[in-house]
């Protein structure tokens, strides 16, 4: 709101242009096979989230994940899983149009499937606040399942992941 200070929309547009410029230059390099973005790499300690799931018309139920009792979450762009050699196991991969879409598309990994005990494609999940607060996040539709990505042997190795579709404009480098 200050005179001469860019607003969030202009900052996001500038961020998107900078990414497209860099991505275009990288794609021209002979040994570059994939260009994507995310708020974390598979080897980084992930964000922790509490989650409830709604499936087949049943009331939402809190899930107990395998990452400190919750789930790991990352915001990623299209091609993220291809870049790290993950394969689609069920459903589909995230696409550019998923970022900001009303259904809030997410993809989960096979560890997530092992935790919930069934194929979750088509189910909806939402995040819960930590502690006693009960503020609910938006619903996200699970559109696909990907193979687990390799991580360093660490506390989050084998964590059940939720990958949220994000645009490059919303991620702060």
């Amino acid at each position: 709101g200050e005179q001469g200070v860019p607003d969030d929309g202009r900052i996001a547009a500038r961020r998107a242009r900078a990414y497209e410029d860099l991505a275009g230059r990288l794609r021209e390099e002979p040994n570059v096979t994939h260009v994507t973005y995310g708020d974390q790499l598979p080897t980084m300690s992930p964000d922790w989230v509490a989650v409830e799931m709604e499936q087949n018309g049943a009331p939402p139920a809190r899930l107990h994940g395998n990452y400190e009792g919750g789930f790991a979450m990352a915001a990623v762009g299209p091609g993220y899983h291809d870049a790290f050699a993950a394969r689609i196991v069920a459903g589909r991969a995230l696409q550019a149009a998923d970022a900001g879409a009303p259904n809030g598309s997410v993809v989960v990994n096979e560890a997530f499937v092992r935790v919930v005990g069934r194929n979750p494609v088509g189910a909806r999940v939402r995040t819960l606040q930590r502690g006693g607060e009960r503020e609910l996040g938006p619903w996200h539709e699970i559109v696909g399942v990907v193979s687990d990505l390799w991580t360093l042997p660490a506390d989050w190795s084998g964590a059940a992941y939720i990958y949220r579709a994000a645009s490059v404009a919303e991620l702060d480098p």
Side-chain angles (χ1 to χ4, degrees), residues 5-81:
V5 176
D7 63 17
D8 289 344
R10 289 185 10 216
I11 292 170
R14 185 182 310 160
R15 192 179 292 143
R17 284 191 307 273
Y19 170 78
E20 288 306 324
D21 180 52
L22 175 62
R25 287 185 281 143
L26 286 171
R27 287 183 185 105
E28 293 173 2
E29 293 294 320
N31 294 321
V32 172
T33 59
H34 296 83
V35 178
T36 191
Y37 54 88
D39 66 352
Q40 343 185 345
L41 294 171
T43 57
M44 294 171 64
S45 178
D47 289 337
W48 179 96
V49 294
V51 171
E52 66 181 9
M53 186 167 85
E54 176 185 77
Q55 189 172 27
N56 299 329
R62 170 87 186 254
L63 299 178
H64 184 76
N66 67 355
Y67 178 55
E68 299 175 8
F71 294 83
M73 186 169 229
V76 302
Y80 181 88
H81 295 100

Side-chain angles (χ1 to χ4, degrees), residues 133-172:
E133 300 173 31
R134 187 76 176 140
E135 186 176 325
L136 302 173
W139 283 109
H140 297 281
E141 181 184 351
I142 299 172
V143 297
V145 176
V146 296
S147 58
D148 296 334
L149 295 177
W150 178 84
T151 60
L152 298 171
D155 292 344
W156 63 89
S157 183
Y161 263 88
I162 301 168
Y163 298 96
R164 179 180 65 80
S167 73
V168 72
E170 75 181 77
L171 296 180
D172 188 354

